Amino acid sequence: MKMNNAMTKSVREIDASDKMADLRDRFHFPEPKNGFEPIYFTGNSLGLMPKKVREYVDEELEDWARLAVEGHLHARHPWLPYHEFLTEPMARIVGAKPIETVMMNSLTVNLHLLMVSFFKPQGERRKLVIEKGAFPSDQYAVESQLRCHGLDPRECLVVLTPRKDESTLRTEDVVATIDREGESLALVMLGGVNYYTGQAFDMKTITEAGHKTGATVGFDLAHAAGNIELKMHDWDVDFAVWCSYKYLNGGPGAVGGAFVHERHARSFDLDRLAGWWGHDKETRFLMGPQFKPLAGAEGWQLSNPPILQMAALRASLEIFDEAGMPALIEKSRKLTGYLESLIDNIGDERIEIVTPREPAERGCQLSIRVRNAGRSLHERLVARGVYADWREPDVIRVAPVPLYNSFQDAFRFAQILRECLA
Ligand SMILES: *Cc1c(COP(=O)(O)O)cnc(C)c1O
């Protein structure tokens, strides 16, 4: 199908007037496939590589070669406090104070570590709330935590389920369930943005509801960090965890993040699994037998951190700081809204956008259900250079990322989708 010239011109103009458009050049895109330029809509799965990563990682490799063990103190970016270079930019992205933020381990590990401290079933208060269709790792994590406490997930796991014939949860229903469970609730643990539907939860309201019952409240921000506006501190969330290889472009297997609210910063009597990197910095190298945790989120660290991974993430977080989340979110809403309208205009009755229509209830991802299309539709898209992912039984997830996707990407995607459906 020929590009509609008038449309192409107007979408070019939209890109030309986009103040963020130049940021695209800071990233490496995958190679063309079958002669098709890539349309990279899987930044929700693995963010693109910032070009600066190579330089930043090379710097650490050079310092390792040149200085060996002395790099801990004398590298250009000393390794001993290396994680601290990430703390402030990361805190800005999740709406936290630096003392509430730490980059460490990986997501599921951090979820377990923080549940050890913040899921404390006692007496009748022993239930845990999670959303239906949560990411499998989160389900496995909460169920195994319940079992570690000798509790039966069939009794103690409360699963929030959308109403019949609806795909996403209503905040009022989430709150009603929390109210109903009341004093039986020990923890509310939801995704910030559900990975499958792309629904962003009203974390402020849910946190308030959870606290009213006396439960603690935590969020998995895997699909939220770097995607939507977050105010972990102001919303009074107890803890949160995330990964940095999705919207945060930290690279495959990149280091995870954790948030612990300031009001727990000096709760040294909380149960926790301890390791030497969580020990007081001033006395860590006295190597004493007594664990003395650092105040704040850093006190949950276990091990000395992966410098090469953190170097990669540093390159990406610099771009976030330069752009700023408010401007990224503004572009994100325009770009996702534009893609949504193009998909609606295809006018194919098999298509249903599962993601909420309301911009405040989603980030950049759209989950597109295509009835009876089957996996072959996805294969046809992929063959034309589209990077999107397929989730059984019938959903294609696309994430136009404001840092590096253009309005032309959205336009071309809709055109290819139309052709592949024909
Ligand atoms: C991506 C993702 C994970 C992955 O966990 P890792 O520990 O980083 O492998 C877990 N939970 C959610 C909600 C995710 O989106």
Side-chain angles (χ1 to χ4, degrees), residues 44 88 126 211 224 248 251 269 371 376 422:
N44 57 348
E88 291 192 13
R126 51 189 193 169
H211 284 169
L248 297 175
D269 52 346
R371 281 186 207 85
S376 64

Side-chain angles (χ1 to χ4, degrees), residues 1-256:
M1 183 173 132
K2 281 259 159 33
M3 277 228 188
N4 175 329
N5 283 333
M7 276 295 264
T8 318
K9 180 158 178 290
S10 75
V11 68
R12 288 231 170 87
E13 278 163 9
I14 303 176
D15 276 327
S17 66
D18 167 17
K19 290 192 281 297
M20 305 260 126
D22 290 347
L23 293 174
R24 185 177 171 93
D25 295 335
R26 311 279 184 89
F27 294 87
H28 288 291
F29 279 78
E31 295 163 354
K33 226 188 253 178
N34 311 329
F36 292 99
E37 283 301 317
I39 299 174
Y40 197 77
F41 278 175
T42 42
N44 57 348
S45 181
L46 186 75
L48 290 179
M49 175 178 161
K51 290 179 180 165
K52 274 252 167 164
V53 164
R54 203 181 297 274
E55 176 189 329
Y56 283 22
V57 172
D58 268 349
E59 186 177 306
E60 303 312 329
L61 293 174
E62 282 165 16
D63 285 352
W64 178 20
R66 198 166 57 88
L67 301 167
V69 72
E70 293 184 353
H72 286 302
L73 292 175
H74 301 301
R76 280 161 280 182
H77 289 87
W79 302 330
L80 206 59
Y82 203 95
H83 72 274
E84 295 172 21
F85 301 130
L86 303 172
T87 302
E88 291 192 13
M90 196 62 252
R92 284 190 274 277
I93 292 172
V94 298
K97 296 187 175 183
I99 195 171
E100 298 172 320
T101 311
V102 67
M103 298 309 289
M104 61 179 187
N105 313 310
S106 50
L107 188 160
T108 309
V109 173
N110 292 341
L111 182 55
H112 276 298
L113 290 179
L114 294 182
M115 282 199 286
V116 164
S117 300
F118 295 106
F119 176 54
K120 299 268 85 182
Q122 259 172 354
E124 292 304 302
R125 189 186 285 286
R126 51 189 193 169
K127 288 193 185 170
L128 199 161
V129 175
I130 192 171
E131 84 262 31
K132 180 164 188 272
F135 196 88
S137 201
D138 301 42
Q139 294 180 44
Y140 308 152
V142 299
E143 289 190 16
S144 59
Q145 286 276 335
L146 284 164
R147 288 200 195 90
C148 283
H149 287 284
L151 299 170
D152 183 347
R154 283 169 307 186
E155 267 171 50
C156 296
L157 194 59
V158 179
V159 181
L160 298 164
T161 308
R163 293 185 188 188
K164 192 168 170 297
D165 299 326
E166 295 185 9
S167 303
T168 54
L169 287 165
R170 298 189 191 195
T171 305
E172 65 203 86
D173 292 352
V174 175
V175 170
T177 302
I178 292 173
D179 285 348
R180 190 188 69 228
E181 296 292 341
E183 292 183 0
S184 74
L185 280 188
L187 173 65
V188 178
M189 211 303 289
L190 306 186
V193 173
N194 180 271
Y195 83 101
Y196 190 94
T197 63
Q199 178 180 23
F201 295 117
D202 181 345
M203 290 180 253
K204 179 171 186 274
T205 302
I206 292 169
T207 304
E208 265 169 30
H211 284 169
K212 218 169 72 192
T213 70
T216 50
V217 180
F219 289 99
D220 180 335
L221 304 179
H223 281 263
N227 181 22
I228 62 170
E229 182 185 46
L230 294 171
K231 294 187 172 179
M232 288 297 111
H233 177 85
D234 291 349
W235 296 341
D236 209 29
V237 172
D238 291 286
F239 73 90
V241 294
W242 59 95
C243 55
S244 66
Y245 47 82
K246 293 174 179 163
Y247 293 106
L248 297 175
N249 315 314
V255 66

